Amino acid sequence: MAARRLEERFREVLSEKGLTADAEGSAFASVFVRLVVRSLQLTDPTPNERAAVTAGLLARTAMTPEQAGLLLRLALGPEFRSAIGEMELRVFGARFGEEAAARLDADGAEELDLRAFSARHGASESLLLLDTLFRVCAAEGGVTPDEIARLQQACLELGVDGVLFTALLQKHDPRYVSGERPITLTGDRLVIGRGAGCDVVLADPQVALRHAELVRQSSGWRVVDLGSGRPTVVNGAAVSSAPLAADASLRIGPYALSVVEDRLVVQGERTFSALSVRHLRRRIGEVSLLDDVSFTVFSGEVVALVGPSGAGKTTLLNAINGISPADGGEVLLDGADFHHLLGVDRSLVGVVPQDDLVNPELTVEESLFYSGRLRFSSDVTDAEVWGEVDRVLGELDIAHIRKSRIGDALNRGISGGQRKRVNLGQELLTRSTRVLFLDEPTSGLDPRASQDIVRLIRQLADRGRIIFLVTHDLTPEVMAQVDHLLVLTKGGRLAWFGPPTEATRAFGVPTPDAIFSRFNDKSPEQWGREYREGPAARKYVATREHLVGIEGVSRAAPAGQQGMRRSLLRQLNTLTRRYLRVKLRDRTGMAVLVVQPPVLAVVMWIVFKAPTTPMLFMFSLSCLWFGMSAGVRELISDRIIWQRERRVGLGVLPYVGSKVVVLGAFLAIQCALLSVFLYVAVGMGAYDFSLPEMIVTTVLTGWLGIAVGLLVSAVWTSSEAAVGTLPLLLIPQITFSSIMVSIRDMGPLATAATWVTFQRYCFDALIKCGEYIAVTTYVKGNWEKQGFAGQLFKLGLRGDGADNVGIPQGVLLLLLFGGALALLSATTALVAARGKRQG
């Protein structure tokens, strides 16, 4: 073959000069330089082009610059320069005979081509050869459109991923990828696309081969989408056809285009942030959850993650985003430990679960504002947060519903698709978000809304984000927006990573949604082994890993607009404001809170005409119940929202504290109103009860009830279980509080139980707010007054002796306050522990 004869000739010339060459190095170099000359059809390269070829040779071999230059000169000679075409072969045969022509034809047939080179030498050498081809083409002022066609063909034959083609083009001629490039508009129709035959070439795999067309009309230019499946976006909205006004913004893939007079200005915004997953493994005992999973994803790409139940999809995502790291392997972002970066700034990742985790009582803009306020650092002003809210509303095309209430299944608000956008918008408020994980974002939506959501996801990726999409929707409309399909089989084995169109060929099915029917055809081990050993793994896994090491490729840096230093007081303020607004919007709940004090006051006024011990018991028990019922659901109803916000830095103390502040304020108002109503209705002033002291005592009782309710809410995961627990707590409060049986008459075990019964202290403290108690003996239509000490003795709340009043009032109030603090501390610890267990 010609490369072998070139090597022999090269070694002969060196020998004549008294020099020697490494056999292996000279063999590779001969093939390498032959392929460069043939692929670019070089005949008389310029000094810069020669230097580019020489640099490629020196990067791989131990040659000297003089030896590399000699080999190139030999390769450019007539004997070795190019392959012989059919016409030339006939001329050669007429001149030198058929036998010589046959030998020459056989020699050409044995020539190593780009595909064979890739198969023999692997991903690293293929990338080096392609890099050299780019270097040569760009040596004289940049790559021409004709050379782009040759480079695209070389990329295809080498089995190199199209993203690497774009990366190398950016490295050697950034005009096509980043920065501003004006193009003069000529003619009436211009096709925009990735293909070399287009009038406007946008060399990026996110752009379709023929993506859109500009059509000149009497009123100006109009853009027409050519039905590639990828969105053509005008002023933030995907269109099939739309006029391009002077101030219109056209976006195709990672490019922003605008018409300025007679020019089309192309602004490239492509960066190459690479998330590399390498050899992830996870096992539980003998069960494999992840088995040596490796792949690399670049900024601007959407990866659809699919597989049967139990294949490890959630395990893989949690291993990547740091929620539950794998047992072995690594995750790198641009060569740096991704989990270490997340420890510094969690805003790099956005996790959007399947359920819509938004407060239904808030409006769209309020939900986004409070989410942003929790994510941004303390030195970011509210005005700056509102600015980011406006940006996200525009980016998600929901500015028109910003004032609308979100609602839920019971209280209708915005549509399901719009709620998905709000849910997604919370993760986009920080511009530093680089990687998005979306779990079934189209679940529960109609086909039209599903396609709208996936097109939106495509647009978000085109702006430079990496997006993982867990889905079971493999319809053509969805797959058209996806760059790569990541297929896991049982045991967490990677069965495919690559474009959906190639996946169908690999699995032997007509459409991607039929892949699920093939999983049982082979064992998971077979699927994993066949992919690892096949050409797709070399092209889309091995070759991609080398991009991280390519110098001269721009990397996306996290936007530095907001540091992640957050103040716990600022978080408490934000959560309190949001929680207060949510509670006030709950009209039914607020109505119950408002009605409770007067209704209970009327009931007790009907039954009790004076402040007897049973009335005071019911009074204190009502306040305790106010608190318990108010707090028993609160840590369950928004637990999933809390877990999501905890991942971006929300503290446990501000979260629990906001509940205490808002519920405590409501309970203070309730208890104060009930105290005032009963003080007036029952005439407690006549028995020397102090209204301020009553209010303090009942408010502390209510707060203690809140602490009990929140603790129950922290223990259970369902509201039904929490509410069902209340009677188990409330009945002992009644039984052991001395109202049913005097403590003096109780047995040792019951007596011991009274010391840990909250209601005992609440009841005791409320009795001591007055000087007298109305006795139950009725004489001549009047209630008799009796000093409270006698009643305390009957109840067993004090011992013998005229001066013995039991536990002093100040100590009782401290016990109520201290008990509430102790229960709240236990609640905070439980919430923190649960959050840690769940990632």
Side-chain angles (χ1 to χ4, degrees), residues 211-540:
H211 197 114
E213 186 177 37
L214 288 180
V215 181
R216 191 193 298 270
Q217 297 180 330
S218 58
S219 58
W221 289 91
R222 171 175 286 272
V223 62
V224 178
D225 186 85
L226 295 180
S228 65
R230 294 297 176 96
T232 299
V233 181
V234 176
N235 295 332
V239 300
S240 57
S241 177
L244 286 180
D247 58 345
S249 172
L250 170 63
R251 175 172 283 275
I252 295 178
Y255 296 91
L257 302 90
S258 58
V259 176
V260 180
E261 297 178 349
D262 61 341
R263 294 181 304 161
L264 178 68
V265 179
V266 179
Q267 180 72 39
E269 302 172 1
R270 187 58 146 121
T271 55
F272 289 92
S273 186
L275 182 70
S276 297
V277 173
R278 298 182 178 176
H279 308 296
L280 289 189
R281 295 180 177 85
R282 183 77 186 273
R283 299 184 69 87
I284 296 180
E286 298 299 320
V287 179
S288 173
L289 301 181
L290 293 176
D291 184 16
D292 195 19
V293 177
S294 298
F295 58 89
T296 299
V297 187
F298 298 134
S299 54
E301 292 189 326
V302 178
V303 178
L305 179 57
V306 301
S309 298
K313 300 186 292 295
T314 301
T315 303
L316 175 59
L317 294 187
N318 289 343
I320 296 172
N321 62 35
I323 293 177
S324 181
D327 301 330
E330 58 184 355
V331 183
L332 306 176
L333 182 65
D334 295 333
D337 187 327
F338 187 47
H339 294 163
H340 175 74
L341 296 176
L342 292 178
V344 177
D345 185 1
R346 284 295 306 184
S347 71
L348 290 172
V349 161
V351 180
V352 182
Q354 181 175 348
D355 297 326
D356 297 328
L357 304 184
V358 288
N359 293 108
E361 292 82 8
L362 298 178
T363 65
V364 170
E365 64 176 6
E366 287 171 348
S367 179
L368 293 175
F369 172 78
Y370 288 121
S371 294
R373 186 69 276 173
L374 292 173
R375 283 164 167 76
F376 296 152
S377 62
S378 304
D379 55 353
V380 177
T381 66
D382 284 356
E384 290 175 307
V385 177
W386 279 115
E388 296 304 313
V389 170
D390 293 339
R391 174 184 61 81
V392 170
L393 289 171
E395 194 171 6
L396 299 179
D397 193 26
I398 52 175
H400 60 289
I401 59 167
R402 64 183 304 156
K403 299 290 184 182
S404 301
R405 186 173 173 177
I406 293 174
D408 53 21
L410 298 178
N411 300 300
R412 185 170 177 79
I414 60 178
S415 69
Q418 290 168 336
R419 276 199 301 275
K420 294 287 185 184
R421 294 181 184 230
V422 176
N423 200 28
L424 179 58
Q426 294 180 96
E427 301 297 337
L428 300 178
L429 286 163
T430 50
R431 301 194 186 195
S432 55
T433 301
R434 305 266 294 277
V435 187
L436 278 174
F437 298 88
L438 309 180
D439 186 6
E440 293 283 357
T442 61
S443 175
L445 300 180
D446 61 77
R448 172 73 179 273
S450 297
Q451 293 171 24
D452 288 343
I453 287 294
V454 178
R455 276 193 291 267
L456 172 63
I457 292 170
R458 175 73 264 164
Q459 294 176 46
L460 295 176
D462 287 343
R463 292 183 174 94
R465 300 179 180 94
I466 295 172
I467 298 181
F468 288 90
L469 173 66
V470 179
T471 184
H472 290 94
D473 186 355
L474 303 184
T475 58
E477 292 79 10
V478 172
M479 290 296 100
Q481 314 302 327
V482 169
D483 295 289
H484 295 284
L485 201 60
L486 194 158
V487 181
L488 288 179
T489 59
K490 295 282 188 179
R493 294 173 176 85
L494 184 63
W496 177 264
F497 178 81
T501 52
E502 296 188 29
T504 57
R505 292 194 293 270
F507 283 91
V509 293
T511 57
D513 55 348
I515 289 176
F516 285 91
S517 65
R518 295 296 310 278
F519 287 138
N520 293 329
D521 293 354
K522 303 174 185 177
S523 67
E525 294 82 1
Q526 284 180 293
W527 284 118
R529 183 174 59 255
E530 287 183 8
Y531 178 73
R532 284 195 306 271
E533 296 174 356
R538 182 174 64 250
K539 180 177 182 179
Y540 295 112

Side-chain angles (χ1 to χ4, degrees), residues 106 117 246 299 500 607 656 755:
F117 179 87
S299 54
V607 176
V656 177
W755 290 104

Side-chain angles (χ1 to χ4, degrees), residues 505-582:
R505 292 194 293 270
F507 283 91
V509 293
T511 57
D513 55 348
I515 289 176
F516 285 91
S517 65
R518 295 296 310 278
F519 287 138
N520 293 329
D521 293 354
K522 303 174 185 177
S523 67
E525 294 82 1
Q526 284 180 293
W527 284 118
R529 183 174 59 255
E530 287 183 8
Y531 178 73
R532 284 195 306 271
E533 296 174 356
R538 182 174 64 250
K539 180 177 182 179
Y540 295 112
V541 177
T543 308
R544 280 177 157 241
E545 287 188 1
H546 292 281
L547 179 62
V548 178
I550 296 179
E551 297 180 357
V553 177
S554 67
R555 309 291 181 192
Q561 104 226 27
Q562 299 100 0
M564 301 315 292
R565 177 178 54 84
R566 299 181 180 88
S567 164
L568 293 181
L569 289 177
R570 190 64 176 266
Q571 287 186 353
L572 176 62
N573 176 54
T574 301
L575 287 172
T576 300
R577 289 160 56 195
R578 183 178 72 179
Y579 186 47
L580 177 61
R581 183 161 293 184
V582 168

Side-chain angles (χ1 to χ4, degrees), residues 533-825:
E533 296 174 356
R538 182 174 64 250
K539 180 177 182 179
Y540 295 112
V541 177
T543 308
R544 280 177 157 241
E545 287 188 1
H546 292 281
L547 179 62
V548 178
I550 296 179
E551 297 180 357
V553 177
S554 67
R555 309 291 181 192
Q561 104 226 27
Q562 299 100 0
M564 301 315 292
R565 177 178 54 84
R566 299 181 180 88
S567 164
L568 293 181
L569 289 177
R570 190 64 176 266
Q571 287 186 353
L572 176 62
N573 176 54
T574 301
L575 287 172
T576 300
R577 289 160 56 195
R578 183 178 72 179
Y579 186 47
L580 177 61
R581 183 161 293 184
V582 168
K583 296 298 286 184
L584 291 175
R585 294 268 174 83
D586 182 7
R587 295 180 180 178
T588 303
M590 289 303 300
V592 171
L593 292 179
V594 171
V595 168
Q596 279 179 340
V599 169
L600 292 180
V602 169
V603 170
M604 282 186 269
W605 171 73
I606 292 173
V607 176
F608 306 107
K609 299 299 183 182
T612 62
T613 50
M615 190 223 78
L616 294 172
F617 176 82
M618 290 301 300
F619 186 6
S620 62
L621 186 66
S622 297
C623 294
L624 187 66
W625 168 255
F626 286 168
M628 293 172 68
S629 61
V632 74
R633 294 183 180 90
E634 295 307 299
L635 298 180
I636 297 174
S637 59
D638 62 357
R639 178 170 290 156
I640 300 179
I641 295 178
W642 136 248
Q643 290 171 353
R644 176 180 183 175
E645 293 175 337
R646 185 190 60 79
R647 296 189 186 110
V648 295
L650 178 60
V652 179
L653 285 175
Y655 172 62
V656 177
S658 66
K659 306 290 186 183
V660 174
V661 170
V662 174
L663 295 177
F666 287 151
L667 261 293
I669 295 173
Q670 278 189 299
C671 294
L673 287 175
L674 183 58
S675 298
V676 172
F677 291 156
L678 287 176
Y679 185 84
V680 173
V682 185
M684 300 181 73
Y687 292 81
D688 292 339
F689 273 82
S690 169
L691 181 59
E693 193 173 350
M694 285 173 54
I695 292 175
V696 171
T697 302
T698 55
V699 167
L700 285 174
T701 300
W703 287 355
L704 180 60
I706 290 175
V708 174
L710 290 177
L711 181 60
V712 172
S713 186
V715 169
W716 298 108
T717 58
S718 72
S719 296
E720 292 77 10
V723 173
T725 304
L726 286 186
L728 299 179
L729 296 175
L730 200 61
I731 291 174
Q733 301 300 316
I734 299 172
T735 305
F736 295 113
S737 63
S738 76
I739 192 66
M740 306 291 292
V741 179
S742 172
I743 295 176
R744 184 173 287 99
D745 298 330
M746 292 181 181
L749 183 60
T751 301
T754 63
W755 290 104
V756 292
T757 302
F758 309 131
Q759 177 60 11
R760 165 190 170 157
Y761 303 110
C762 303
F763 180 34
D764 193 356
L766 190 58
I767 291 176
K768 291 174 181 174
C769 290
E771 292 295 330
Y772 302 99
I773 299 294
V775 296
T776 56
T777 300
Y778 185 77
V779 180
K780 297 179 181 179
N782 295 319
W783 292 93
E784 292 184 357
K785 292 182 179 181
Q786 185 182 87
F788 69 81
Q791 290 297 313
L792 291 178
F793 182 80
K794 289 182 179 179
L795 295 169
L797 295 175
R798 79 175 184 89
D800 298 329
D803 297 331
N804 189 338
V805 294
I807 303 174
Q809 178 74 333
V811 175
L812 288 171
L813 297 180
L814 285 176
L815 285 173
L816 297 182
F817 185 72
L821 285 181
L823 292 174
L824 289 175
S825 298

